[in-house]
Amino acid sequence: MTDIVAATALTRRFDPHLSIGDRIAAAFGARVETRAVHAVTDVSFTIRSNETLGLVGESGCGKSTLGRLVAGILGPTSGSIAIDGAPVMRRGRKTTTRIQTVFQDPFASLNPRRRIDATISEGPIAHGLVTRAAAPAFVADWLARVGLDPAVATRFPHQFSGGQRQRVAIARALAMKPDILVCDEPVASLDVSIQAQVLNLFLDLRAALGLTCLFISHDLSVVRHVSDRVAIMYLGRIVEIGPAALVYAAPRHPYTQGLLDSVPKLRLDADAVGFRPIAGELPSPLSPPSGCAFHPRCPRATDLCRRERPELAAHGATDVACHYA
Amino acid sequence: MTLLDVTDLRTHFFTRAGVARAVDGVSFSLAPGEILGLVGESGSGKSVTGFSLIGLVDPPGRIAGGSIRFDGQELVGMAPDRLRALRGRRIAMVFQDPQATLNPVLTIGTQMALALQAHGRVTDRAAADRATAMLTRVGIPEAATRLNNYPHEFSGGMRQRVAIAMALLNGPDLIVADEPTTALDVSIQAQILAEMKALARDSGTALIWISHDLATVSSLADRVLVMYAGRIVESGPVGAVLRAPLHPYTRGLLDSLPAMAQPGQRLAQIPGSAPSLLALPQGCPFAPRCAHADAACTAPPPRVERADRHALCHHPLAP
Ligand SMILES: Nc1ncnc2c1ncn2[C@@H]1O[C@H](COP(=O)(O)OP(=O)(O)O)[C@@H](O)[C@H]1O
Ligand SMILES: Nc1ncnc2c1ncn2[C@@H]1O[C@H](COP(=O)(O)OP(=O)(O)O)[C@@H](O)[C@H]1O
Ligand code: SF4
Ligand SMILES: [Mg+2]
Ligand SMILES: [Mg+2]
C-alpha cells in the first residue's frame, strides 16, 4: 500500500480578534486576552491508500481543526498537506476535489432553503462530473446508494430525520467522486440504533468505492470499529499513533491508557470494573503546560517530563510521545 | 422497604396535533440507597418521567393518571407548596445542563446558602462551612475560595460538580439525574461517575440515573429500566438484563453497539426509526422494527415476569 495523504508539520494557531480598543487597552496593561490558541501543533502523519485513520481525543484537543486542515477548508499557519505529493492548498485556496468532508451536524452543513437534489448535484455540475441534463438520474442513483428513496429528491433538509440528513450529507460528499473522505463526528448526534445504520452505510460505501478516510470521533468504540490505524490527540499534538488493534490492546502513552480506562464498559457481571478516571482537568490551549503537556495529569510524570517535551518516537509499530513509553 | 413506588404513571402532552403519551403506564419501585438506570433513545420519555417524579411537568403536559408514592406520601395531586418543600430537601434533580439549576447572577456560596436556608434555620457561617464541605466532597479544589465565584467562572465539568453539590446539600433521599455527564468529556465523565457512585453508597441516597448510554448505566446502576415509546419495556438487575435481555428492543440496542461487534464488520442494526408518539402502531409499539413480530404483536403485549425481572413482549427472548 502506498501513502496517499501526507501531513507534514501541520500547525494552526488562532489569534484573538482584537478591536482597536482592546489593543490600546492591552498596551496599557488591561486584562485583554492576547494569547493565541494553539489548536494544532506540529502534526505529521500519512494515510495509506484504502486505509482509515481514526482520530480521537477530548473536546478542544484540535481534532476538527486538523480535519479541516487536511480537507483544505482551513489554511495552516505552517506546514503542509499533500495528496499523492500534490499540495491540497495553494495560495490559501483548495486545489482539488479528491478530498471531501462529512460533518457532525448535517443541519448546519446543509443549506435549509435548498432542495436535496440541488444540494447533491451542484458540486458535480460545477466541476463537470455530470451534465445538468443527467443530474436527476445522478441524484436518484446517489439517494438509492445511501439508502434513501429517490422520491425524496425534491424535499428540504428539515423534512428529514437526523439519520436521514447524515445520509444526504454522505451522498453529497461522495457525489464529488472523492478518493479521500474526512468524517468529523459523523454519528455523534445520532441515537445508537441510527448510529449503527449510518456506520454500516459508511462501511459498505467505503469498501465499494475504495475510499481512504480520516475518521474523527470522541467515541473510542466507534473509532475502533472503523479504523485500521488510530491517532490519539492531546492539546493539539498527536501523542500516540499506530495500528488500531495494537493501540487499543496495548496502549503505550499514559494518556491513551487513561482515556481507554475512563470509558465506561458494558459491564455484564457485577464484579467487573466499569471504568477508571484520569485525574485532573484539561489544561487551556492558551497556555499548554511545559514539557509534556500531559504531565500535570500523568501518574508517571517526573522532573524530566515537566522540563522536556517528548518527541513522537517509534516503539515497534506505534509512535509514542512519552519519555517512559 | 421501598422509598419510591411508581404505579401506572401516565404523563401526556395535549398538543394541537394530538395527545402525545410521553409516559404511558410506567411502574417501578426504588429502595433507599438503590441506583436505578433509566435508558432509552431520544424521545422515549426518560426526561418526562424524571420531571413527573419531581412535579415539574409544564403545560401542555400533565400527569393524566397513576400514582407516585414517595416515602408513603402520594405526590400526584399534592399541593404545590408541599411539593416544593419536598423538592430540594428530600428529592433533588441534576440536569444535563447545569445552567438549569445555577443562577448566573449569584455566587456559588450565596446560592448554596439560600438552598440551605430555604429548608431550615442555618447561620451564614454554618452554611458556608457546609457548602465548602460539599464542594470538596464532589472534587472541587480550594472550595472555600471558590464559594466567591460565579457559575461562568467554572469549567463545564466543574459546573456540573457544583450542580451536584447543590443537589446533595440538604441530604436528599432521592436524586434524579438526567443525562448529567452526556455533555462532558470521557475523562471528566468518569470522574463524576466515580464520585456519584461513592456518594450514593456513603450517604444512602437513592439515585435515578437517566442516560441514553447503556455502558454508563451498566457501570453505575444496580437495576435498569429500558424505555421505548413511553413504556418500560424491560426491567431487572443490570447484569442479568445485559447478559440475556428478554425484550427484542434491548437485544437490538445492545447489538447495535460497536463494542459488541468485530472491528470493521457490519453492526447488527434495528431497522427503521422510533415511532411518532402521535401515530403509534396498534399493539406493541416496537413491532414494526422487530424481527420477532407476528400477528400476535398487533395486540397489546403482556407483562412477562421472571424472578426480579419483567418485559412487555409477546415473544420474550429467554425461556
Ligand atoms: N475559528 C476558531 N477561532 C478561534 N479558536 C478556534 C477556532 N476553531 C477552533 N478553535 C480553538 O481551537 C481549539 C481546538 O478546537 P477544535 O479543533 O474544534 O477541537 P475538537 O474538534 O477536538 O473539539 C479549541 O481550543 C478551540 O476553541
Ligand atoms: N413540551 C412538550 N410538548 C409536547 N410534547 C412533548 C413536550 N415535551 C416532551 N414531549 C413529548 O414527550 C416525548 C418524550 O420526551 P422526553 O422525555 O424529553 O424524551 P427523552 O428524554 O427520552 O429523550 C417526546 O417525544 C415528545 O413527544
Ligand atoms: S512524558 Fe511523562 S508526563 Fe508525559 S505521558 Fe509520559 S510519563 Fe506522563
Ligand atoms: Mg470537533
Ligand atoms: Mg431527555
Side-chain angles (χ1 to χ4, degrees):
Chain A
M1 281 202 293
T2 52
D3 290 343
I4 171 164
V5 178
T8 312
L10 278 177
T11 294
R12 174 69 204 211
R13 281 192 307 272
F14 291 104
D15 291 315
H17 287 289
L18 295 184
S19 64
I20 303 272
D22 287 341
R23 279 171 222 255
I24 295 171
F28 283 93
R31 280 214 348 215
V32 174
E33 188 52 76
T34 55
R35 291 172 297 178
V37 175
H38 295 259
V40 170
T41 309
D42 195 17
V43 166
S44 301
F45 59 83
T46 59
I47 311 178
R48 285 167 219 139
S49 185
N50 292 319
E51 178 184 64
T52 293
L53 175 67
L55 184 60
V56 280
E58 297 179 273
S59 57
C61 72
K63 302 181 297 298
S64 293
T65 304
L66 184 55
R68 289 160 71 209
L69 290 171
V70 170
I73 297 168
L74 185 73
T77 305
S78 62
S80 64
I81 176 87
I83 298 178
D84 286 332
V88 170
M89 280 189 123
R90 205 171 277 132
R91 280 182 229 100
R93 293 190 51 139
K94 188 172 169 180
T95 58
T96 174
T97 58
R98 292 185 65 192
I99 188 159
Q100 295 295 329
T101 330
V102 176
F103 295 101
Q104 165 174 358
D105 185 359
F107 241 144
S109 65
L110 298 177
N111 184 337
R113 281 198 290 269
R114 183 162 295 154
R115 271 172 32 176
I116 293 307
D117 50 1
T119 290
I120 292 175
S121 62
E122 83 175 336
I125 291 173
H127 286 91
L129 297 174
V130 67
T131 61
R132 206 165 278 282
F138 177 83
V139 168
D141 181 41
W142 272 110
L143 287 173
R145 291 181 86 164
V146 297
L148 292 173
D149 181 348
V152 303
T154 56
R155 295 204 189 149
F156 292 86
H158 74 266
Q159 294 172 288
F160 293 86
S161 69
Q164 291 172 326
R165 274 196 296 268
Q166 203 54 288
R167 289 175 191 268
V168 172
I170 291 171
R172 180 184 57 173
L174 294 181
M176 290 297 290
K177 303 211 163 63
D179 302 309
I180 304 146
L181 198 60
V182 174
C183 299
D184 189 356
E185 304 270 13
V187 294
S189 48
L190 305 178
D191 270 315
V192 211
S193 71
I194 308 301
Q195 167 178 294
Q197 295 170 0
V198 173
L199 286 177
N200 281 342
L201 174 69
F202 170 78
L203 294 175
D204 293 348
L205 290 170
R206 180 179 75 178
L209 303 172
L211 293 171
T212 300
C213 302
L214 177 64
F215 193 102
I216 301 172
S217 175
H218 70 284
D219 185 325
L220 285 147
S221 66
V222 169
V223 166
R224 172 72 189 96
H225 193 71
V226 301
S227 305
D228 302 299
R229 284 194 307 143
V230 287
I232 318 293
M233 272 185 102
Y234 191 73
L235 276 185
R237 293 176 190 267
I238 290 179
V239 297
E240 179 157 7
I241 178 169
L246 197 57
V247 171
Y248 277 70
R252 281 179 166 271
H253 196 285
Y255 177 63
T256 314
Q257 293 165 358
L259 201 58
L260 287 169
D261 284 346
S262 287
V263 182
K265 314 288 178 303
L266 266 184
R267 212 169 45 128
L268 300 183
D269 67 272
D271 300 331
V273 179
F275 58 92
R276 210 177 301 111
I278 311 178
E281 288 212 70
L282 280 170
S284 159
L286 290 168
S287 53
S290 64
C292 171
F294 188 56
H295 86 251
R297 307 175 75 187
C298 181
R300 285 194 238 154
T302 63
D303 273 341
L304 173 65
C305 307
R306 287 181 265 279
R307 225 173 36 238
E308 266 177 46
R309 189 167 48 72
E311 295 291 338
L312 208 53
H315 293 266
T318 37
D319 291 351
V320 189
C322 170
H323 291 301
Y324 302 101
Chain B
M1 198 174 65
T2 59
L3 175 68
L4 182 72
D5 225 326
V6 177
T7 317
D8 199 26
L9 180 66
R10 294 165 192 277
T11 306
H12 298 170
F13 288 85
F14 299 85
T15 69
R16 268 190 310 173
V19 181
R21 296 180 171 80
V23 174
D24 201 22
V26 161
S27 303
F28 65 91
S29 60
L30 187 66
E34 188 179 17
I35 304 183
L36 183 67
L38 177 56
V39 292
E41 296 183 278
S42 44
S44 57
K46 305 182 297 296
S47 294
V48 173
T49 302
F51 284 124
S52 304
L53 296 180
I54 59 166
L56 286 181
V57 179
D58 288 327
R62 68 180 158 81
I63 295 183
S67 145
I68 304 171
R69 291 192 79 78
F70 173 76
D71 200 16
Q73 308 170 70
E74 178 59 57
L75 302 191
V76 175
M78 182 184 262
D81 55 330
R82 283 188 58 211
L83 202 52
R84 207 173 306 120
L86 216 55
R87 204 161 54 219
R89 190 165 53 84
R90 301 201 56 198
I91 307 178
M93 188 140 181
V94 179
F95 301 92
Q96 176 172 341
D97 180 6
Q99 324 274 34
T101 30
L102 299 177
N103 186 332
V105 304
L106 298 178
T107 64
I108 297 305
T110 306
Q111 296 186 52
M112 294 182 87
L114 288 173
L116 281 165
Q117 288 159 348
H119 298 286
R121 288 158 71 82
V122 185
T123 64
D124 288 353
R125 177 79 250 152
D129 287 346
R130 275 173 67 185
T132 306
M134 196 51 80
L135 290 174
T136 307
R137 186 74 191 77
V138 298
I140 295 186
E142 296 163 53
T145 52
R146 308 261 10 210
L147 286 181
N148 301 317
N149 288 142
Y150 291 89
H152 74 265
E153 295 176 281
F154 292 81
S155 68
M158 283 295 164
R159 218 178 290 137
Q160 192 56 283
R161 287 192 162 91
V162 172
I164 291 169
M166 293 271 278
L168 289 164
L169 209 47
N170 287 297
D173 302 295
L174 171 64
I175 296 181
V176 181
D178 190 359
E179 310 250 11
T181 60
T182 299
L184 304 176
D185 276 310
V186 271
S187 74
I188 308 301
Q189 160 172 294
Q191 292 170 1
I192 290 185
L193 289 179
E195 279 150 16
M196 286 305 277
K197 199 166 180 164
L199 283 165
R201 291 279 130 78
D202 299 352
S203 61
T205 304
L207 186 59
I208 296 179
W209 189 273
I210 299 175
S211 172
H212 66 281
D213 184 19
L214 275 172
T216 302
V217 164
S218 82
S219 58
L220 191 69
D222 306 309
R223 284 194 310 131
V224 62
L225 309 176
V226 181
M227 214 166 170
Y228 190 80
R231 298 137 213 226
I232 308 291
V233 296
E234 171 151 20
S235 74
V238 171
V241 169
L242 296 191
R243 271 194 306 274
L246 293 175
H247 200 285
Y249 176 62
T250 315
R251 177 82 263 162
L253 263 190
L254 269 171
D255 289 344
S256 11
L257 295 175
M260 296 292 279
Q262 283 297 315
Q265 299 301 306
R266 292 185 105 251
L267 301 165
Q269 67 182 44
I270 307 176
S273 52
S276 157
L277 291 182
L278 296 176
L280 284 182
Q282 290 279 314
C284 173
F286 186 58
R289 307 176 72 188
C290 182
H292 302 267
D294 61 14
C297 304
T298 53
R303 184 183 166 93
V304 181
E305 312 251 2
R306 298 280 157 79
D308 48 0
R309 308 174 55 178
H310 102 274
L312 293 183
C313 181
H314 287 284
H315 308 295
L317 299 174

